[in-house]
Amino acid sequence: MKTSALPTGTALITGASSGIGAEFARQLARRGQRLVLVARRAERLEALARELKQVHGVTIECLSADLAETSGQELVAQRLQGTPPVEWLINNAGFGSGGLYHETKAPKQMAMIEVHVKATARLIRAVLPAMVQRRQGVIINVASIAAFAMVPTSAMYSSTKLWMVGFTKALAAELEGTGVHIQALCPGFTHTEFHDTEEYRHFNRQVVPSFCWMTAAEVVRQSLHAVERGSGVFIPGWFNRLMVLGMKMPGVQSLGKWYARRRWHGSPSSP
Ligand SMILES: NC(=O)c1ccc[n+]([C@@H]2O[C@H](COP(=O)([O-])OP(=O)(O)OC[C@H]3O[C@@H](n4cnc5c(N)ncnc54)[C@H](OP(=O)(O)O)[C@@H]3O)[C@@H](O)[C@H]2O)c1
């Protein structure tokens, strides 16, 4: 779909309390857009809201919600159907986990389906009818390049992100000509709090060469630029695009599988 001018109204961002979500908030506030910030940590949202109101003078609502819970999903869905109307929905909330599936904690795996899949599907369903009716809107689903690599030790993460990519592609086809843009944003290694959890305690960022990493600011800048050009799957950064190309080559998937298993069993990060 080719670009028309994108709407400049209210943007609702999930996972806005840190990382990529907070950066979407910063860059959209800079454009003067009204924001609805969603995450569990209310104090983080309030602090960001204060900062952005002060710097950009924009109106900001904060909504504390746990998107792993149906009640949290419904709270946000309700706001999406309220006023003022939401013209941008950024489904960014998410988290990773590692380990062989049969050894992982079941509640965390189920929560991942809730946050990555169910919340994304529910929130889009809540907001899309009005976007189609108004003939304008932007939806960005933050997936990952992991969607293109089904490797051991991140089965649920990779496959829920693959769902996000597939769902976005199908909706992009449905929405052609409606004026609604939809993007599956697939970042690679990005400097955020993503790897600061207990499960990644032995993950050493230094092991990954610096050219493989992007800042959240650059990921968001490229995503916003790409969505202006139209809908579809977008991979920020030349290295990430190269990685995804490489993943399709015979032999590379096998190498990835071997490396992931070896890393998990051969390192102190094994659970
Ligand atoms: N960083 C990377 O290397 C990387 C690479 C590829 C894709 N991604 C994707 O980028 C997205 C953003 O992650 P990030 O890198 O910015 O990590 P981050 O700094 O850890 O941010 C994650 C955000 O998701 C929110 N969140 C997590 N679980 C939630 C829940 N149950 N309900 C509501 N909000 C929840 C967190 O807020 P609260 O804790 O306050 O709820 C936080 O705001 C994720 O979808 C991730 O999969 C990241």
Side-chain angles (χ1 to χ4, degrees):
M1 184 174 62
K2 287 287 160 243
T3 148
S4 51
L6 295 181
T8 54
T10 303
L12 185 145
I13 305 162
T14 70
S17 60
S18 71
I20 295 172
E23 192 52 41
F24 266 113
R26 288 198 172 86
Q27 296 195 24
L28 293 179
R30 205 174 296 149
R31 297 174 175 211
Q33 287 183 233
R34 183 186 172 117
L35 302 177
V36 185
L37 307 179
V38 179
R40 289 165 301 183
R41 289 171 293 177
E43 70 294 347
R44 287 279 203 110
L45 298 180
E46 297 291 349
L48 181 62
R50 273 195 301 277
E51 173 199 323
L52 297 180
K53 275 179 200 166
Q54 199 171 19
V55 178
H56 304 290
V58 288
T59 304
I60 301 184
E61 301 164 52
C62 296
L63 205 52
S64 173
D66 185 348
L67 292 172
E69 301 287 337
T70 304
S71 55
Q73 295 163 9
E74 289 307 317
L75 187 74
V76 182
Q78 237 174 42
R79 173 58 191 91
L80 285 166
Q81 291 171 331
T83 50
V86 171
E87 296 191 317
W88 288 61
L89 167 62
I90 303 181
N91 285 307
N92 161 79
F95 60 94
S97 89
L100 300 175
Y101 188 60
H102 66 277
E103 294 175 353
T104 55
K105 294 193 174 83
K108 190 152 191 187
Q109 301 295 316
M110 299 308 112
M112 197 176 282
I113 299 177
E114 291 289 330
V115 176
H116 293 177
V117 179
K118 216 181 126 214
T120 302
R122 178 68 187 100
L123 302 192
I124 291 176
R125 185 61 187 76
V127 81
L128 197 50
M131 285 182 173
V132 172
Q133 197 179 24
R134 285 195 306 271
R135 299 196 59 77
Q136 64 174 18
V138 177
I139 298 171
I140 297 176
N141 295 323
V142 184
S144 167
I145 60 167
F148 307 103
M150 292 302 126
V151 292
T153 75
S154 73
M156 186 59 83
Y157 185 74
S158 301
S159 53
T160 52
K161 292 299 185 178
L162 178 63
W163 177 86
M164 288 179 96
V165 169
F167 191 59
T168 306
K169 280 164 104 170
L171 288 183
E174 284 188 14
L175 293 169
E176 248 182 72
T178 63
V180 181
H181 292 217
I182 184 163
Q183 177 189 85
L185 169 62
C186 299
F189 288 111
T190 310
H191 289 294
T192 65
E193 296 176 18
F194 185 87
H195 296 101
D196 291 348
T197 60
E198 178 59 15
E199 280 179 79
Y200 289 102
R201 67 194 180 283
H202 294 296
F203 174 75
N204 179 1
R205 286 181 168 88
Q206 317 285 338
V207 171
V208 181
S210 58
F211 63 83
C212 304
W213 289 91
M214 290 178 74
T215 61
E218 190 53 23
V219 168
V220 169
R221 193 191 65 75
Q222 291 193 21
S223 163
L224 293 177
H225 190 61
V227 84
E228 276 168 13
R229 297 195 300 267
S231 294
V233 178
F234 178 69
I235 303 167
W238 65 267
F239 175 75
N240 293 328
R241 288 193 278 274
L242 207 64
M243 285 269 285
V244 171
L245 263 182
M247 284 168 195
K248 291 177 184 153
M249 285 167 64
V252 173
Q253 286 271 351
S254 315
L255 194 69
K257 279 183 204 162
W258 170 80
Y259 175 73
R261 282 194 76 92
R262 187 175 166 278
R263 195 174 133 256
W264 196 255
H265 286 301
S267 81
S269 64
S270 304

